[in-house]
mmCIF file of all heavy atoms in Angstrom:
data_model
loop_
_atom_site.group_PDB
_atom_site.id
_atom_site.type_symbol
_atom_site.label_atom_id
_atom_site.label_comp_id
_atom_site.label_asym_id
_atom_site.label_seq_id
_atom_site.Cartn_x
_atom_site.Cartn_y
_atom_site.Cartn_z
ATOM 1 N N ASP H 1 17.197 3.825 19.935
ATOM 2 C CA ASP H 1 17.093 3.557 21.370
ATOM 3 C C ASP H 1 15.765 2.852 21.634
ATOM 4 O O ASP H 1 14.782 3.464 22.045
ATOM 5 C CB ASP H 1 17.162 4.867 22.156
ATOM 6 C CG ASP H 1 17.187 4.635 23.666
ATOM 7 O OD1 ASP H 1 17.363 3.472 24.074
ATOM 8 O OD2 ASP H 1 17.012 5.626 24.404
ATOM 9 N N PRO H 2 15.707 1.548 21.345
ATOM 10 C CA PRO H 2 14.435 0.837 21.418
ATOM 11 C C PRO H 2 13.906 0.702 22.844
ATOM 12 O O PRO H 2 14.611 0.215 23.729
ATOM 13 C CB PRO H 2 14.757 -0.535 20.811
ATOM 14 C CG PRO H 2 16.230 -0.708 20.982
ATOM 15 C CD PRO H 2 16.825 0.664 20.916
ATOM 16 N N THR H 3 12.708 1.191 23.054
ATOM 17 C CA THR H 3 11.981 0.986 24.309
ATOM 18 C C THR H 3 10.530 0.681 23.946
ATOM 19 O O THR H 3 10.068 1.000 22.845
ATOM 20 C CB THR H 3 12.018 2.229 25.210
ATOM 21 O OG1 THR H 3 11.332 3.305 24.546
ATOM 22 C CG2 THR H 3 13.441 2.641 25.540
ATOM 23 N N PHE H 4 9.809 0.084 24.882
ATOM 24 C CA PHE H 4 8.403 -0.225 24.624
ATOM 25 C C PHE H 4 7.607 1.050 24.382
ATOM 26 O O PHE H 4 6.756 1.104 23.486
ATOM 27 C CB PHE H 4 7.815 -0.995 25.815
ATOM 28 C CG PHE H 4 6.370 -1.365 25.630
ATOM 29 C CD1 PHE H 4 6.024 -2.484 24.891
ATOM 30 C CD2 PHE H 4 5.358 -0.584 26.175
ATOM 31 C CE1 PHE H 4 4.694 -2.823 24.705
ATOM 32 C CE2 PHE H 4 4.026 -0.911 25.997
ATOM 33 C CZ PHE H 4 3.689 -2.042 25.258
ATOM 34 N N PHE H 5 7.895 2.074 25.153
ATOM 35 C CA PHE H 5 7.189 3.343 25.005
ATOM 36 C C PHE H 5 7.448 3.939 23.620
ATOM 37 O O PHE H 5 6.517 4.390 22.935
ATOM 38 C CB PHE H 5 7.636 4.315 26.093
ATOM 39 C CG PHE H 5 7.039 5.688 25.960
ATOM 40 C CD1 PHE H 5 5.753 5.944 26.387
ATOM 41 C CD2 PHE H 5 7.773 6.730 25.398
ATOM 42 C CE1 PHE H 5 5.194 7.214 26.259
ATOM 43 C CE2 PHE H 5 7.223 7.994 25.267
ATOM 44 C CZ PHE H 5 5.928 8.239 25.710
ATOM 45 N N ALA H 6 8.714 3.932 23.199
ATOM 46 C CA ALA H 6 9.069 4.524 21.912
ATOM 47 C C ALA H 6 8.379 3.803 20.756
ATOM 48 O O ALA H 6 7.807 4.430 19.854
ATOM 49 C CB ALA H 6 10.579 4.509 21.719
ATOM 50 N N TRP H 7 8.408 2.456 20.776
ATOM 51 C CA TRP H 7 7.794 1.707 19.687
ATOM 52 C C TRP H 7 6.265 1.817 19.713
ATOM 53 O O TRP H 7 5.616 1.855 18.665
ATOM 54 C CB TRP H 7 8.217 0.237 19.743
ATOM 55 C CG TRP H 7 9.561 0.010 19.104
ATOM 56 C CD1 TRP H 7 10.721 -0.351 19.719
ATOM 57 C CD2 TRP H 7 9.869 0.164 17.715
ATOM 58 N NE1 TRP H 7 11.747 -0.442 18.812
ATOM 59 C CE2 TRP H 7 11.247 -0.134 17.568
ATOM 60 C CE3 TRP H 7 9.150 0.524 16.591
ATOM 61 C CZ2 TRP H 7 11.900 -0.092 16.334
ATOM 62 C CZ3 TRP H 7 9.787 0.556 15.361
ATOM 63 C CH2 TRP H 7 11.151 0.257 15.239
ATOM 64 N N SER H 8 5.695 1.880 20.909
ATOM 65 C CA SER H 8 4.236 2.020 21.006
ATOM 66 C C SER H 8 3.776 3.346 20.411
ATOM 67 O O SER H 8 2.795 3.402 19.651
ATOM 68 C CB SER H 8 3.791 1.921 22.472
ATOM 69 O OG SER H 8 4.120 0.664 23.016
ATOM 70 N N ILE H 9 4.492 4.413 20.765
ATOM 71 C CA ILE H 9 4.144 5.723 20.206
ATOM 72 C C ILE H 9 4.292 5.705 18.692
ATOM 73 O O ILE H 9 3.431 6.207 17.950
ATOM 74 C CB ILE H 9 5.030 6.826 20.814
ATOM 75 C CG1 ILE H 9 4.673 7.061 22.278
ATOM 76 C CG2 ILE H 9 4.917 8.114 20.015
ATOM 77 C CD1 ILE H 9 3.329 7.722 22.488
ATOM 78 N N THR H 10 5.383 5.110 18.206
ATOM 79 C CA THR H 10 5.638 5.063 16.765
ATOM 80 C C THR H 10 4.524 4.330 16.025
ATOM 81 O O THR H 10 4.036 4.792 14.983
ATOM 82 C CB THR H 10 6.990 4.374 16.494
ATOM 83 O OG1 THR H 10 8.036 5.133 17.116
ATOM 84 C CG2 THR H 10 7.257 4.266 15.008
ATOM 85 N N VAL H 11 4.107 3.188 16.551
ATOM 86 C CA VAL H 11 3.041 2.413 15.909
ATOM 87 C C VAL H 11 1.752 3.232 15.819
ATOM 88 O O VAL H 11 1.080 3.270 14.780
ATOM 89 C CB VAL H 11 2.800 1.101 16.675
ATOM 90 C CG1 VAL H 11 1.514 0.429 16.198
ATOM 91 C CG2 VAL H 11 3.982 0.156 16.496
ATOM 92 N N TRP H 12 1.402 3.920 16.920
ATOM 93 C CA TRP H 12 0.153 4.677 16.916
ATOM 94 C C TRP H 12 0.230 5.918 16.031
ATOM 95 O O TRP H 12 -0.778 6.351 15.466
ATOM 96 C CB TRP H 12 -0.253 5.066 18.337
ATOM 97 C CG TRP H 12 -0.939 3.924 19.022
ATOM 98 C CD1 TRP H 12 -0.402 3.048 19.918
ATOM 99 C CD2 TRP H 12 -2.298 3.521 18.823
ATOM 100 N NE1 TRP H 12 -1.329 2.120 20.303
ATOM 101 C CE2 TRP H 12 -2.510 2.383 19.653
ATOM 102 C CE3 TRP H 12 -3.345 3.983 18.051
ATOM 103 C CZ2 TRP H 12 -3.729 1.725 19.710
ATOM 104 C CZ3 TRP H 12 -4.562 3.338 18.097
ATOM 105 C CH2 TRP H 12 -4.749 2.222 18.919
ATOM 106 N N LEU H 13 1.421 6.477 15.849
ATOM 107 C CA LEU H 13 1.556 7.593 14.918
ATOM 108 C C LEU H 13 1.343 7.123 13.479
ATOM 109 O O LEU H 13 0.684 7.809 12.677
ATOM 110 C CB LEU H 13 2.924 8.253 15.064
ATOM 111 C CG LEU H 13 3.168 9.044 16.361
ATOM 112 C CD1 LEU H 13 4.564 9.652 16.360
ATOM 113 C CD2 LEU H 13 2.117 10.134 16.527
ATOM 114 N N TRP H 14 1.906 5.942 13.136
ATOM 115 C CA TRP H 14 1.676 5.401 11.800
ATOM 116 C C TRP H 14 0.196 5.062 11.598
ATOM 117 O O TRP H 14 -0.358 5.280 10.518
ATOM 118 C CB TRP H 14 2.543 4.163 11.564
ATOM 119 C CG TRP H 14 3.962 4.481 11.200
ATOM 120 C CD1 TRP H 14 5.082 4.253 11.939
ATOM 121 C CD2 TRP H 14 4.410 5.106 10.001
ATOM 122 N NE1 TRP H 14 6.208 4.687 11.288
ATOM 123 C CE2 TRP H 14 5.821 5.215 10.085
ATOM 124 C CE3 TRP H 14 3.772 5.584 8.865
ATOM 125 C CZ2 TRP H 14 6.588 5.784 9.070
ATOM 126 C CZ3 TRP H 14 4.534 6.146 7.850
ATOM 127 C CH2 TRP H 14 5.931 6.245 7.957
ATOM 128 N N LEU H 15 -0.447 4.528 12.638
ATOM 129 C CA LEU H 15 -1.874 4.221 12.538
ATOM 130 C C LEU H 15 -2.698 5.486 12.307
ATOM 131 O O LEU H 15 -3.718 5.458 11.614
ATOM 132 C CB LEU H 15 -2.353 3.500 13.806
ATOM 133 C CG LEU H 15 -1.934 2.036 13.954
ATOM 134 C CD1 LEU H 15 -2.394 1.489 15.295
ATOM 135 C CD2 LEU H 15 -2.498 1.190 12.816
ATOM 136 N N THR H 16 -2.245 6.599 12.909
ATOM 137 C CA THR H 16 -2.960 7.864 12.697
ATOM 138 C C THR H 16 -2.973 8.235 11.219
ATOM 139 O O THR H 16 -4.014 8.643 10.673
ATOM 140 C CB THR H 16 -2.297 8.986 13.508
ATOM 141 O OG1 THR H 16 -2.307 8.632 14.897
ATOM 142 C CG2 THR H 16 -3.041 10.307 13.324
ATOM 143 N N VAL H 17 -1.821 8.081 10.569
ATOM 144 C CA VAL H 17 -1.739 8.389 9.138
ATOM 145 C C VAL H 17 -2.574 7.400 8.327
ATOM 146 O O VAL H 17 -3.305 7.791 7.404
ATOM 147 C CB VAL H 17 -0.275 8.367 8.655
ATOM 148 C CG1 VAL H 17 -0.188 8.788 7.192
ATOM 149 C CG2 VAL H 17 0.590 9.281 9.507
ATOM 150 N N VAL H 18 -2.490 6.122 8.686
ATOM 151 C CA VAL H 18 -3.239 5.104 7.943
ATOM 152 C C VAL H 18 -4.741 5.330 8.090
ATOM 153 O O VAL H 18 -5.496 5.237 7.122
ATOM 154 C CB VAL H 18 -2.853 3.694 8.423
ATOM 155 C CG1 VAL H 18 -3.778 2.641 7.807
ATOM 156 C CG2 VAL H 18 -1.412 3.391 8.063
ATOM 157 N N PHE H 19 -5.181 5.648 9.308
ATOM 158 C CA PHE H 19 -6.610 5.883 9.523
ATOM 159 C C PHE H 19 -7.098 7.071 8.692
ATOM 160 O O PHE H 19 -8.220 7.061 8.168
ATOM 161 C CB PHE H 19 -6.894 6.130 11.001
ATOM 162 C CG PHE H 19 -6.754 4.903 11.860
ATOM 163 C CD1 PHE H 19 -6.681 5.004 13.244
ATOM 164 C CD2 PHE H 19 -6.681 3.644 11.300
ATOM 165 C CE1 PHE H 19 -6.549 3.889 14.033
ATOM 166 C CE2 PHE H 19 -6.543 2.504 12.086
ATOM 167 C CZ PHE H 19 -6.481 2.632 13.460
ATOM 168 N N ALA H 20 -6.273 8.108 8.591
ATOM 169 C CA ALA H 20 -6.640 9.258 7.757
ATOM 170 C C ALA H 20 -6.764 8.840 6.299
ATOM 171 O O ALA H 20 -7.693 9.255 5.592
ATOM 172 C CB ALA H 20 -5.607 10.365 7.907
ATOM 173 N N ASN H 21 -5.838 8.000 5.842
ATOM 174 C CA ASN H 21 -5.896 7.524 4.460
ATOM 175 C C ASN H 21 -7.092 6.602 4.229
ATOM 176 O O ASN H 21 -7.657 6.566 3.136
ATOM 177 C CB ASN H 21 -4.601 6.796 4.101
ATOM 178 C CG ASN H 21 -3.414 7.744 4.012
ATOM 179 O OD1 ASN H 21 -3.592 8.960 3.921
ATOM 180 N ND2 ASN H 21 -2.215 7.196 4.043
ATOM 181 N N VAL H 22 -7.471 5.833 5.274
ATOM 182 C CA VAL H 22 -8.628 4.944 5.153
ATOM 183 C C VAL H 22 -9.885 5.760 4.869
ATOM 184 O O VAL H 22 -10.724 5.381 4.055
ATOM 185 C CB VAL H 22 -8.805 4.093 6.429
ATOM 186 C CG1 VAL H 22 -10.210 3.490 6.494
ATOM 187 C CG2 VAL H 22 -7.772 2.986 6.471
ATOM 188 N N ALA H 23 -10.047 6.907 5.555
ATOM 189 C CA ALA H 23 -11.228 7.744 5.346
ATOM 190 C C ALA H 23 -11.349 8.152 3.887
ATOM 191 O O ALA H 23 -12.420 8.057 3.272
ATOM 192 C CB ALA H 23 -11.152 8.980 6.247
ATOM 193 N N GLU H 24 -10.236 8.604 3.302
ATOM 194 C CA GLU H 24 -10.263 9.025 1.904
ATOM 195 C C GLU H 24 -10.434 7.829 0.976
ATOM 196 O O GLU H 24 -11.161 7.898 -0.020
ATOM 197 C CB GLU H 24 -8.980 9.778 1.565
ATOM 198 C CG GLU H 24 -8.961 10.356 0.162
ATOM 199 C CD GLU H 24 -7.746 11.231 -0.086
ATOM 200 O OE1 GLU H 24 -6.933 11.392 0.846
ATOM 201 O OE2 GLU H 24 -7.623 11.761 -1.195
ATOM 202 N N ALA H 25 -9.779 6.700 1.310
ATOM 203 C CA ALA H 25 -9.858 5.517 0.456
ATOM 204 C C ALA H 25 -11.263 4.932 0.433
ATOM 205 O O ALA H 25 -11.731 4.456 -0.606
ATOM 206 C CB ALA H 25 -8.861 4.455 0.946
ATOM 207 N N VAL H 26 -11.960 4.966 1.579
ATOM 208 C CA VAL H 26 -13.333 4.463 1.614
ATOM 209 C C VAL H 26 -14.231 5.336 0.744
ATOM 210 O O VAL H 26 -15.073 4.837 -0.009
ATOM 211 C CB VAL H 26 -13.864 4.412 3.061
ATOM 212 C CG1 VAL H 26 -15.363 4.149 3.079
ATOM 213 C CG2 VAL H 26 -13.146 3.329 3.848
ATOM 214 N N ALA H 27 -14.056 6.663 0.846
ATOM 215 C CA ALA H 27 -14.862 7.575 0.036
ATOM 216 C C ALA H 27 -14.604 7.335 -1.452
ATOM 217 O O ALA H 27 -15.537 7.295 -2.259
ATOM 218 C CB ALA H 27 -14.551 9.017 0.407
ATOM 219 N N GLU H 28 -13.344 7.157 -1.816
ATOM 220 C CA GLU H 28 -13.018 6.894 -3.212
ATOM 221 C C GLU H 28 -13.495 5.510 -3.629
ATOM 222 O O GLU H 28 -13.880 5.296 -4.780
ATOM 223 C CB GLU H 28 -11.513 7.023 -3.431
ATOM 224 C CG GLU H 28 -10.997 8.449 -3.298
ATOM 225 C CD GLU H 28 -9.491 8.533 -3.444
ATOM 226 O OE1 GLU H 28 -8.853 7.455 -3.463
ATOM 227 O OE2 GLU H 28 -8.959 9.648 -3.545
ATOM 228 N N GLY H 29 -13.471 4.566 -2.683
ATOM 229 C CA GLY H 29 -13.892 3.201 -2.988
ATOM 230 C C GLY H 29 -15.333 3.129 -3.422
ATOM 231 O O GLY H 29 -15.704 2.343 -4.300
ATOM 232 N N ARG H 30 -16.175 3.944 -2.796
ATOM 233 C CA ARG H 30 -17.581 3.979 -3.219
ATOM 234 C C ARG H 30 -17.696 4.413 -4.675
ATOM 235 O O ARG H 30 -18.468 3.860 -5.456
ATOM 236 C CB ARG H 30 -18.365 4.942 -2.331
ATOM 237 C CG ARG H 30 -18.647 4.407 -0.933
ATOM 238 C CD ARG H 30 -19.454 5.407 -0.146
ATOM 239 N NE ARG H 30 -19.986 4.839 1.080
ATOM 240 C CZ ARG H 30 -20.815 5.484 1.899
ATOM 241 N NH1 ARG H 30 -21.186 6.707 1.603
ATOM 242 N NH2 ARG H 30 -21.270 4.909 2.989
ATOM 243 N N GLY H 31 -16.915 5.435 -5.030
ATOM 244 C CA GLY H 31 -16.942 5.903 -6.410
ATOM 245 C C GLY H 31 -16.409 4.857 -7.374
ATOM 246 O O GLY H 31 -16.938 4.684 -8.469
ATOM 247 N N LYS H 32 -15.376 4.122 -6.963
ATOM 248 C CA LYS H 32 -14.810 3.099 -7.841
ATOM 249 C C LYS H 32 -15.797 1.971 -8.085
ATOM 250 O O LYS H 32 -15.841 1.394 -9.173
ATOM 251 C CB LYS H 32 -13.525 2.549 -7.225
ATOM 252 C CG LYS H 32 -12.366 3.544 -7.264
ATOM 253 C CD LYS H 32 -11.126 2.974 -6.603
ATOM 254 C CE LYS H 32 -9.987 3.999 -6.665
ATOM 255 N NZ LYS H 32 -8.768 3.501 -5.980
ATOM 256 N N ALA H 33 -16.594 1.652 -7.071
ATOM 257 C CA ALA H 33 -17.609 0.613 -7.248
ATOM 258 C C ALA H 33 -18.634 1.041 -8.298
ATOM 259 O O ALA H 33 -19.063 0.235 -9.133
ATOM 260 C CB ALA H 33 -18.296 0.321 -5.915
ATOM 261 N N GLN H 34 -19.010 2.322 -8.271
ATOM 262 C CA GLN H 34 -19.964 2.803 -9.259
ATOM 263 C C GLN H 34 -19.301 2.942 -10.627
ATOM 264 O O GLN H 34 -19.934 2.732 -11.652
ATOM 265 C CB GLN H 34 -20.552 4.136 -8.806
ATOM 266 C CG GLN H 34 -21.380 3.970 -7.539
ATOM 267 C CD GLN H 34 -22.147 5.226 -7.189
ATOM 268 O OE1 GLN H 34 -21.993 6.244 -7.822
ATOM 269 N NE2 GLN H 34 -22.967 5.121 -6.168
ATOM 270 N N ALA H 35 -18.018 3.270 -10.628
ATOM 271 C CA ALA H 35 -17.301 3.369 -11.900
ATOM 272 C C ALA H 35 -17.206 2.006 -12.578
ATOM 273 O O ALA H 35 -17.259 1.900 -13.798
ATOM 274 C CB ALA H 35 -15.905 3.950 -11.673
ATOM 275 N N ALA H 36 -17.074 0.940 -11.765
ATOM 276 C CA ALA H 36 -17.019 -0.407 -12.334
ATOM 277 C C ALA H 36 -18.314 -0.735 -13.063
ATOM 278 O O ALA H 36 -18.311 -1.376 -14.116
ATOM 279 C CB ALA H 36 -16.759 -1.424 -11.228
ATOM 280 N N THR H 37 -19.434 -0.286 -12.503
ATOM 281 C CA THR H 37 -20.726 -0.498 -13.158
ATOM 282 C C THR H 37 -20.785 0.279 -14.471
ATOM 283 O O THR H 37 -21.265 -0.228 -15.489
ATOM 284 C CB THR H 37 -21.872 -0.052 -12.241
ATOM 285 O OG1 THR H 37 -21.800 -0.785 -11.016
ATOM 286 C CG2 THR H 37 -23.210 -0.289 -12.895
ATOM 287 N N LEU H 38 -20.275 1.506 -14.445
ATOM 288 C CA LEU H 38 -20.288 2.316 -15.665
ATOM 289 C C LEU H 38 -19.397 1.716 -16.743
ATOM 290 O O LEU H 38 -19.704 1.802 -17.935
ATOM 291 C CB LEU H 38 -19.833 3.739 -15.350
ATOM 292 C CG LEU H 38 -20.780 4.573 -14.485
ATOM 293 C CD1 LEU H 38 -20.119 5.875 -14.093
ATOM 294 C CD2 LEU H 38 -22.065 4.844 -15.235
ATOM 295 N N ARG H 39 -18.290 1.109 -16.323
ATOM 296 C CA ARG H 39 -17.366 0.537 -17.305
ATOM 297 C C ARG H 39 -18.007 -0.604 -18.091
ATOM 298 O O ARG H 39 -17.571 -0.922 -19.187
ATOM 299 C CB ARG H 39 -16.100 0.040 -16.606
ATOM 300 C CG ARG H 39 -15.129 1.148 -16.267
ATOM 301 C CD ARG H 39 -13.747 0.585 -15.949
ATOM 302 N NE ARG H 39 -12.803 1.657 -15.749
ATOM 303 C CZ ARG H 39 -12.525 2.206 -14.569
ATOM 304 N NH1 ARG H 39 -13.132 1.752 -13.486
ATOM 305 N NH2 ARG H 39 -11.658 3.185 -14.461
ATOM 306 N N GLN H 40 -19.026 -1.219 -17.497
ATOM 307 C CA GLN H 40 -19.698 -2.290 -18.217
ATOM 308 C C GLN H 40 -20.368 -1.755 -19.478
ATOM 309 O O GLN H 40 -20.636 -2.499 -20.411
ATOM 310 C CB GLN H 40 -20.731 -2.958 -17.309
ATOM 311 C CG GLN H 40 -20.112 -3.696 -16.137
ATOM 312 C CD GLN H 40 -21.155 -4.302 -15.220
ATOM 313 O OE1 GLN H 40 -22.345 -4.211 -15.485
ATOM 314 N NE2 GLN H 40 -20.707 -4.928 -14.147
ATOM 315 N N ALA H 41 -20.690 -0.453 -19.457
ATOM 316 C CA ALA H 41 -21.302 0.154 -20.638
ATOM 317 C C ALA H 41 -20.273 0.431 -21.731
ATOM 318 O O ALA H 41 -20.639 0.676 -22.875
ATOM 319 C CB ALA H 41 -22.011 1.450 -20.256
ATOM 320 N N ARG H 42 -18.986 0.411 -21.354
ATOM 321 C CA ARG H 42 -17.939 0.624 -22.352
ATOM 322 C C ARG H 42 -17.473 -0.745 -22.835
ATOM 323 O O ARG H 42 -16.811 -1.476 -22.126
ATOM 324 C CB ARG H 42 -16.760 1.392 -21.739
ATOM 325 C CG ARG H 42 -17.078 2.824 -21.443
ATOM 326 C CD ARG H 42 -15.827 3.645 -21.321
ATOM 327 N NE ARG H 42 -14.805 3.007 -20.523
ATOM 328 C CZ ARG H 42 -13.611 3.526 -20.270
ATOM 329 N NH1 ARG H 42 -13.290 4.688 -20.744
ATOM 330 N NH2 ARG H 42 -12.742 2.879 -19.517
ATOM 331 N N ARG H 43 -17.833 -1.104 -23.985
ATOM 332 C CA ARG H 43 -17.482 -2.403 -24.512
ATOM 333 C C ARG H 43 -16.969 -2.210 -25.945
ATOM 334 O O ARG H 43 -17.000 -1.116 -26.481
ATOM 335 C CB ARG H 43 -18.699 -3.335 -24.487
ATOM 336 C CG ARG H 43 -19.854 -2.784 -25.300
ATOM 337 C CD ARG H 43 -21.115 -3.562 -25.036
ATOM 338 N NE ARG H 43 -21.672 -3.153 -23.759
ATOM 339 C CZ ARG H 43 -22.407 -3.932 -22.996
ATOM 340 N NH1 ARG H 43 -22.622 -5.161 -23.341
ATOM 341 N NH2 ARG H 43 -22.911 -3.481 -21.864
ATOM 342 N N ASP H 44 -16.516 -3.295 -26.515
ATOM 343 C CA ASP H 44 -16.048 -3.214 -27.904
ATOM 344 C C ASP H 44 -17.265 -3.109 -28.814
ATOM 345 O O ASP H 44 -17.944 -4.102 -29.101
ATOM 346 C CB ASP H 44 -15.208 -4.447 -28.254
ATOM 347 C CG ASP H 44 -13.917 -4.491 -27.460
ATOM 348 O OD1 ASP H 44 -13.427 -3.405 -27.114
ATOM 349 O OD2 ASP H 44 -13.418 -5.601 -27.179
ATOM 350 N N ILE H 45 -17.555 -1.906 -29.239
ATOM 351 C CA ILE H 45 -18.733 -1.651 -30.061
ATOM 352 C C ILE H 45 -18.279 -1.278 -31.467
ATOM 353 O O ILE H 45 -17.374 -0.465 -31.642
ATOM 354 C CB ILE H 45 -19.577 -0.507 -29.470
ATOM 355 C CG1 ILE H 45 -20.000 -0.842 -28.039
ATOM 356 C CG2 ILE H 45 -20.796 -0.237 -30.326
ATOM 357 C CD1 ILE H 45 -20.721 0.292 -27.349
ATOM 358 N N SER H 46 -18.910 -1.896 -32.436
ATOM 359 C CA SER H 46 -18.642 -1.514 -33.818
ATOM 360 C C SER H 46 -19.711 -0.521 -34.261
ATOM 361 O O SER H 46 -20.828 -0.512 -33.741
ATOM 362 C CB SER H 46 -18.650 -2.747 -34.736
ATOM 363 O OG SER H 46 -19.916 -3.385 -34.681
#
């Protein structure tokens, strides 16, 4: 039953979930940036 109100509410509910995931993804992203630096120390060593 498409209405402007229904779709507007739906969009903002999905944004609520995405925003929650963004918080966790940003926190993990900082760690991944530092992990990339650490990976440089792992190289093909004989």
Side-chain angles (χ1 to χ4, degrees):
D1 185 11
T3 64
F4 180 82
F5 176 80
W7 277 112
S8 298
I9 290 290
T10 299
V11 168
W12 279 100
L13 290 180
W14 280 112
L15 286 176
T16 301
V17 184
V18 171
F19 289 165
N21 291 344
V22 163
E24 185 173 359
V26 169
E28 291 177 350
R30 286 182 168 185
K32 289 178 180 178
Q34 295 189 355
T37 302
L38 292 172
R39 281 196 175 92
Q40 294 178 3
R42 289 200 315 180
R43 59 192 77 208
D44 294 331
I45 302 175
S46 60

